[in-house]
Amino acid sequence: MHLRRSGFVHLLDLPAGSVLALHAVTQMRVTVTSDVARLIRLFDTPAPLEAMVPTLTAMLGTDAETIRACANLLLDRGILTGQTQQDETAAIIEDLNQTHGRDPAALLDHYRRSRMQGAHPYWAVEAPQALHQAHPLSRRIDVLVLGDCDVQMESGFLRQEAARRGIDLRVAASFAADTALAGERRHDIILIGALQTRHAIVLGDPAHHGGDPAQVYVEDIRTMLRKLRALSDAPILIDGLPEPTVQPLGFADRGMHSHRNRFRRTNLALAERAEAETDVHLVDVAAALGMSGSAALLDDGLVSFTHFGAPGWMLQRPESELAAVHHQFPDRQALADQIGGDPYGREAVMAHTHMDAIITVLGCDRKKCVIVDLDGVLWPGVLAETGSPFAWTPEMGGPNSFVGLYFGIHEALRTLRRRGILLACVSKNDEAVVRDLWRYDPDYPRHRLLTLDDFICTRINWDDKAANIRSIAAELGFALDAFLFIDNSPRERARIESSLPAVTVLGEDLFTLRRTLLTDPRLQTPRLTEEAANRSVLVKAQLDRARLRAEAEDDTAFLASLNVACHVEPLTADASPVMDRVRELIGRTTQFNATGVAFTREELWRLAADPDARVFLLRMRDRLADHGLVGVAVVVNGEILNVVLSCRVIGLGGEGALLAAVKQHAWAAGWSLTGRIVPTNRNIPVRHLYRDHGFIDNGQYDGGQSVWNWTADPMEEPVLKDCADA
């Protein structure tokens, strides 16, 4: 394919050698380095990319893959194109004609909005994108940013932070009032920055706010959420407000309604508001700025008590604004020194924070299991040589002395189990020795410390650690990219990184390990559920069942030995705590998932209240564990929209009990039932669901789908069955 620079793209040289690429129609703006600009200009004359690669590698001093990746990114952004000038113009005209706008200005504005990427032009700032940043990105995410300059100026930094994590982030940014943009194109997630009504929080006495200074701001957020929810069901992030670094009345500014406490109260009210909404999450801006030094990132000590911008912005103001101060202004080098010379420190910090939140909420690259080495990580030295994990006694000092480093790592790993992360260990050791020596004296803080019982899988032997990790992955049924491995040995880390590149590896710095484990977004979940908190117990029971199945004479004897019991109940509109688990189960189940149809929280509420619909919930237990909510069937007017069953209970007969309840309700309602199987490369276990439970194949196939019918016998009511009999 021949590439050329788009006829609508202009390159403008900027100070310090960077270049602005501007698309005249879409208003897309990208700042690039001079090397990237040279690559773009080389395609002013159309040429095939592959033929140009040798020339470009020699000219720019980089490798062929980097050149190809950079060219593909430029092609994706419309800076380069594979179309002729005539075809490119015709395509834009065709897109414009689809809007049927009579006002040319409005028509063009709609076209630009539908392709909007980045901030308001006045606030479009970002570091130039260089060749080395051009690498293949594994996932695309579209985010809508609504707010003022503080969040809009972050757009470019947000894209670059995402690229650093292998994500192609497309940012559309506008003012907070522009909620209509949420309905003009699809977005994966929406971010709301600080609103203008933050200035009202500090005005007047508490009585002027009905006793609650947060009321006006939170009501503004609630209204905005209502408008957005009418247009989009995407997850929404709300920025909390920064905590002021200065108080107007100083030490005397005290009490619950002091300047700083008004913002603290507002953040607490925003947290309550987020809990009352569906898929709405609060970003703790005050904590993020505080950890990086708020004084250098907030301008309330410089220009205004409530602006909450970045002080570095004053270093970047246009020279024309000096007229307002008679062209007399202090030397700004003093300000640059105070903020470390980086005018965009605030944007970089918040881009990192927002990307953490986006990854957490969308579940990008989420880790399911942390595998940890023992010697040198959970305790100092080699256990077989030291004879005990620690030599600590209370007389030596508190548990937060030197030994506290290791206690802290233990505690962090125990906390991950509460989030639903599984723990495993891989250690080159003699297992019998480890089991004999891994003990704690009565004075130890056992509630903070791990034991072997906390690990779902153990590989304590002298085998290759990469082979041990592969065997754990096979036992748990997880892909390798679901694992994080911790080892203090550089040689072992290099071995895993080389042979298992999909596995994330940590352990080079024990002083940062605890914080990394507790803050890495890949080890977090938006909400904690009862199922997540019990996941280690449930998976361990699943592994125990697998061993019992292998030892049993046949499946009948195996099921009888488990004493499986099922309970099926309808989802009710007041079952709010269950909604998140239902959504999680439907959204995350891939093997026993009949159609792939998912539901928002609002849709589940509507279905629960609809007399012509029913959401059936299956709970299961056996002698090894109480598995909780593991199955869902959604039925509307006799059509089974989906049936899902957790993979950990496949083979225990729960689907029979679930369909028996569906049939019984259909018989009472006078329904016939229709169900579909939509095949995927993962849902083989569900393919025969309807065939094995009395449904008839009606011969209708659409794109590989199969359609099944069941008609009730009016003389015979279906009977709910126990799982053991199903």
Side-chain angles (χ1 to χ4, degrees):
M1 178 176 65
H2 281 63
L3 298 182
R4 66 176 182 86
R5 192 215 303 190
S6 166
F8 299 98
V9 169
H10 302 278
L11 298 180
L12 305 176
D13 292 330
L14 300 175
S18 58
V19 178
L20 176 67
L22 171 65
H23 196 290
V25 180
T26 67
Q27 294 296 294
M28 182 276 306
R29 299 164 183 230
V30 178
T31 305
V32 299
T33 61
S34 58
D35 282 346
V36 176
R38 290 174 69 191
L39 186 153
I40 296 169
R41 288 182 169 121
L42 207 60
F43 287 98
D44 286 350
T45 300
L49 174 62
E50 287 304 315
M52 296 297 293
V53 166
T55 301
L56 288 165
T57 55
M59 176 190 298
L60 303 176
T62 188
D63 59 275
E65 285 307 308
T66 298
I67 295 296
R68 293 188 184 97
C70 185
N72 286 329
L73 288 174
L74 295 171
L75 186 65
D76 187 57
R77 299 296 294 273
I79 296 172
L80 297 181
T81 178
Q83 296 176 309
T84 65
Q85 182 66 61
Q86 293 78 9
D87 289 344
E88 184 184 16
T89 302
I92 291 176
I93 291 173
E94 182 180 355
D95 285 344
L96 288 171
N97 284 338
Q98 290 177 6
T99 63
H100 301 290
R102 295 182 179 179
D103 180 349
L107 179 148
L108 187 60
D109 184 59
H110 183 277
Y111 176 81
R112 290 171 174 166
R113 284 168 62 85
S114 67
R115 289 154 179 79
M116 190 174 183
Q117 293 187 61
H120 185 282
Y122 186 65
W123 295 320
V125 294
E126 59 184 278
Q129 299 190 39
L131 275 172
H132 69 271
Q133 295 172 313
H135 47 80
L137 303 176
S138 60
R139 175 173 179 171
R140 171 172 171 168
I141 296 176
D142 285 71
V143 58
L144 171 60
V145 175
L146 297 175
D148 293 332
C149 59
D150 59 328
V151 70
Q152 288 204 38
M153 285 176 59
E154 184 192 322
S155 297
F157 297 87
L158 197 59
R159 284 195 297 270
Q160 292 184 10
E161 177 65 25
R164 189 181 65 80
R165 307 183 192 206
I167 294 172
D168 178 13
L169 193 75
R170 307 299 177 91
V171 182
S174 190
F175 297 100
D178 196 9
T179 53
L181 191 55
E184 295 184 14
R185 56 180 287 195
R186 176 188 167 277
H187 299 92
D188 297 302
I189 195 164
I190 299 171
L191 169 62
I192 301 174
L195 306 184
Q196 282 290 317
T197 43
R198 68 182 182 275
H199 302 297
I201 294 173
V202 299
L203 297 179
D205 296 325
H208 295 123
H209 301 268
D212 182 8
Q215 183 176 356
V216 173
Y217 191 87
V218 175
E219 180 60 25
D220 204 6
I221 286 287
R222 189 191 68 80
T223 300
M224 195 171 178
L225 291 175
R226 186 180 69 249
K227 292 178 179 178
L228 289 171
R229 276 292 172 250
L231 300 169
S232 172
D233 62 359
I236 298 175
L237 300 176
I238 303 174
D239 267 356
L241 295 173
E243 188 169 303
T245 65
V246 295
Q247 297 253 73
L249 302 180
F251 193 73
D253 200 357
R254 47 199 296 160
M256 289 301 295
H257 294 286
S258 68
H259 176 74
R260 186 174 286 128
N261 281 338
R262 291 190 185 207
F263 288 99
R264 289 170 173 163
R265 289 166 62 98
T266 301
N267 284 333
L268 290 174
L270 288 175
E272 291 183 348
R273 183 73 257 166
E275 286 302 294
E277 302 284 345
T278 300
D279 221 357
V280 173
H281 314 273
L282 184 66
V283 178
D284 195 338
V285 172
L289 297 179
M291 284 190 293
S292 299
S294 295
L297 303 176
L298 279 179
D299 63 3
D300 65 327
L302 187 67
V303 296
S304 166
F305 285 123
T306 56
H307 182 244
F308 291 152
W313 183 229
M314 189 168 285
L315 301 176
Q316 300 292 310
R317 304 301 298 185
E319 293 299 308
S320 61
E321 293 185 354
L322 286 173
V325 290
H326 305 293
H327 293 280
Q328 300 180 52
F329 201 69
D331 185 353
R332 281 175 281 180
Q333 185 59 47
L335 175 61
D337 293 342
Q338 292 172 23
I339 62 175
D342 183 3
Y344 298 117
R346 159 76 176 271
E347 286 72 25
V349 167
M350 288 311 305
H352 187 278
T353 301
H354 285 139
M355 276 312 305
D356 278 358
I358 290 170
I359 288 172
T360 297
V361 170
L362 297 183
C364 305
D365 194 25
R366 183 167 292 160
K367 304 303 177 187
K368 297 180 179 180
C369 181
V370 172
I371 303 176
V372 61
D373 181 29
L374 300 178
D375 291 333
V377 175
L378 293 190
W379 48 71
V382 177
L383 184 60
E385 297 175 357
T386 60
S388 64
F390 308 103
W392 176 80
T393 64
E395 293 76 22
M396 295 178 177
N400 294 316
S401 56
F402 285 128
V403 75
L405 173 67
Y406 298 95
F407 285 6
I409 293 172
H410 280 244
E411 187 177 47
L413 290 167
R414 284 178 59 95
T415 301
L416 294 187
R417 293 181 78 244
R418 293 173 53 198
R419 299 181 185 179
I421 305 294
L422 305 178
L423 300 183
C425 70
V426 168
S427 175
K428 288 187 176 181
N429 251 311
D430 185 294
E431 183 170 358
V433 171
V434 171
R435 290 186 179 277
D436 181 54
L437 297 179
W438 192 345
R439 303 179 185 281
Y440 306 118
D441 290 338
D443 290 329
Y444 278 62
R446 294 170 179 268
H447 64 285
R448 297 177 61 194
L449 299 176
L450 292 165
T451 68
L452 270 175
D453 291 338
D454 292 309
F455 295 95
I456 200 75
C457 300
T458 59
R459 297 292 189 273
I460 304 174
N461 52 44
W462 299 102
D463 296 343
D464 176 63
K465 289 188 177 182
N468 278 329
I469 292 174
R470 287 193 189 95
S471 73
I472 290 175
E475 184 175 0
L476 295 177
F478 295 166
L480 287 170
D481 62 5
F483 291 91
L484 185 150
F485 175 65
I486 303 171
D487 199 307
N488 69 313
S489 166
R491 183 177 60 82
E492 294 291 0
R493 292 198 304 271
R495 163 72 176 144
I496 300 304
E497 289 172 339
S498 174
S499 57
L500 303 176
V503 175
T504 299
V505 179
L506 296 177
E508 65 279 1
D509 181 4
L510 293 188
F511 292 107
T512 62
L513 181 58
R514 172 183 164 92
R515 183 178 297 278
T516 298
L517 292 174
L518 294 175
T519 61
D520 192 313
R522 299 169 298 178
L523 296 172
Q524 302 198 44
T525 183
R527 291 180 183 272
L528 290 181
T529 62
E530 181 180 351
E531 192 273 344
N534 294 327
R535 185 163 290 138
S536 289
V537 174
L538 299 176
V539 173
K540 198 164 189 177
Q542 183 181 358
L543 298 178
D544 289 342
R545 284 200 309 274
R547 286 188 281 270
L548 289 174
R549 185 188 291 273
E551 297 168 358
E553 295 181 4
D554 52 42
D555 281 353
T556 301
F558 165 68
L559 288 175
S561 72
L562 289 178
N563 299 324
V564 180
C566 301
H567 174 70
V568 181
E569 63 189 34
L571 176 68
T572 58
D574 60 350
S576 181
V578 179
M579 292 291 185
D580 289 321
R581 171 57 183 156
V582 174
R583 287 187 63 221
E584 178 190 48
L585 182 60
I586 296 174
R588 293 181 60 181
T589 300
T590 57
Q591 295 186 60
F592 207 102
N593 189 319
T595 64
V597 175
F599 304 89
T600 65
R601 220 165 187 260
E602 288 87 353
E603 288 171 335
L604 289 171
W605 256 316
R606 288 195 294 269
L607 289 169
D610 187 345
D612 294 324
R614 184 66 62 96
V615 179
F616 296 88
L617 309 180
L618 170 67
R619 299 181 184 275
M620 295 180 66
R621 57 179 172 80
D622 59 35
R623 67 179 177 85
L624 297 175
D626 184 344
H627 304 288
L629 178 54
V630 291
V632 178
V634 182
V635 187
V636 178
N637 285 321
E639 181 182 0
I640 304 175
L641 301 183
N642 203 359
V643 177
V644 301
L645 189 71
S646 172
C647 63
R648 68 170 179 268
V649 295
I650 291 176
L652 300 186
E655 67 274 17
L658 190 57
L659 279 183
V662 172
K663 289 178 180 179
Q664 187 178 64
H665 179 76
W667 183 88
W671 292 345
S672 294
L673 292 172
T674 300
R676 292 181 297 125
I677 301 294
V678 180
T680 69
N681 60 355
R682 296 290 304 276
N683 73 346
I684 293 175
V686 81
R687 301 285 177 83
H688 301 309
L689 169 67
Y690 295 120
R691 184 200 68 181
D692 294 344
H693 292 89
F695 284 67
I696 304 300
D697 185 351
N698 72 3
Q700 295 183 18
Y701 298 89
D702 181 14
Q705 300 182 27
S706 59
V707 182
W708 300 78
N709 291 334
W710 178 83
T711 302
D713 182 344
M715 303 301 295
E716 182 178 354
E717 178 181 0
V719 178
L720 278 172
K721 297 182 178 181
D722 184 272
C723 284
D725 301 322

